[in-house]
Amino acid sequence: MELAKLISLALLLWPTVADVAEVDTCEAEGGCDDTGFAQLRATIARQQHVGTAEREMCDPTTTTQQFCQNGNPCPDCGTQSCDCNTAPSPEPPSPQPPSPQPPSPDGQYCGRTGEICSSDELCIGTYHSWSCEPMQFCGNTFQKCTQDAPVCVGGYKSWGCVGNCANNMACQAPEGDWDGCNTCGDRLAWLLRQGGDSSWDEALAQVAEEFPSECGCLG
């Protein structure tokens, strides 16, 4: 009976003795504050270890998409084993459409206009006067002029396409009320309207010969 009482008393006094021993241990090791910090660091290390061991992994390469326990789809980390707590990789930027290219039928501007004629237009003019004109059939030829010879000139049944020099002004000595000036194209057309005395080739050659500087492209 006495032995049982002693054992019960010892159990009751054990927490008090343990607290005293812990205090003595703190003082022996340099203070309870330092010991508390050490215990705190050890606790955090154990929690980190447990968190790493319980990390949820998933496979983003499966045919059927996997979902993590948090409800998010499995993030793509570039491998077959990805951490569910890892933020998904950002989407690559969408490719930008290429800048539109300006229209450039032949890559040349029309005179000094700063304008590029479209594929169904011809650049016609002379000196400081230029413009893009619609491509049309020339007289009764049933043919359309090209940029190499864009000006349609003729009279009656003789028509043809010539170069832009047809718009140049060619002057001779005045006669009466006439100042003696006409364009190369008008001179060519006048010859062709003289009852067929001059063929197309002959009329071209005559105008180019009389005014080589202004109408040389007709020859």
Side-chain angles (χ1 to χ4, degrees):
M1 187 67 177
E2 295 295 333
L3 179 59
K5 291 181 179 181
L6 291 175
I7 293 174
S8 299
L9 181 62
L11 292 175
L12 291 173
L13 294 176
W14 175 254
T16 303
V17 175
D19 291 340
V20 174
E22 183 176 356
V23 172
D24 294 340
T25 302
C26 290
E27 293 176 352
E29 292 180 355
C32 291
D33 289 341
D34 293 340
T35 302
F37 284 132
Q39 292 174 348
L40 178 61
R41 287 195 295 269
T43 301
I44 294 174
R46 286 195 300 271
Q47 291 176 350
Q48 291 177 342
H49 176 73
V50 172
T52 302
E54 296 177 352
R55 187 170 54 186
E56 181 184 2
M57 308 301 291
C58 61
D59 185 358
T61 64
T62 58
T63 303
T64 302
Q65 187 177 25
Q66 294 186 358
F67 287 84
C68 302
Q69 294 182 4
N70 57 15
N72 295 329
C74 182
D76 187 358
C77 62
T79 67
Q80 294 182 343
S81 180
C82 299
D83 189 346
C84 278
N85 296 322
T86 302
S89 302
E91 294 293 332
S94 301
Q96 298 297 324
S99 301
Q101 297 296 321
S104 180
D106 56 7
Q108 297 180 352
Y109 289 102
C110 181
R112 298 186 178 185
T113 63
E115 180 182 4
I116 298 178
C117 299
S118 63
S119 59
D120 59 349
E121 293 179 326
L122 296 175
C123 177
I124 300 176
T126 182
Y127 298 113
H128 300 293
S129 178
W130 294 87
S131 64
C132 293
E133 301 293 339
M135 188 182 296
Q136 298 178 349
F137 290 104
C138 181
N140 58 359
T141 63
F142 299 103
Q143 295 180 352
K144 291 183 178 181
C145 298
T146 64
Q147 190 57 63
D148 293 335
V151 182
C152 177
V153 178
Y156 296 111
K157 297 181 180 180
S158 297
W159 293 85
C161 299
V162 296
N164 270 311
C165 76
N167 295 312
N168 293 346
M169 194 65 68
C171 297
Q172 63 186 58
E175 297 181 7
D177 295 334
W178 178 47
D179 62 1
C181 294
N182 280 108
T183 64
C184 297
D186 287 342
R187 291 182 178 276
L188 176 59
W190 184 82
L191 290 176
L192 294 173
R193 287 195 298 267
Q194 300 310 304
D197 292 340
S198 299
S199 67
W200 172 261
D201 292 335
E202 291 173 343
L204 289 174
Q206 181 177 337
V207 177
E209 183 178 352
E210 291 180 359
F211 302 95
S213 299
E214 299 87 348
C215 311
C217 75
L218 302 182

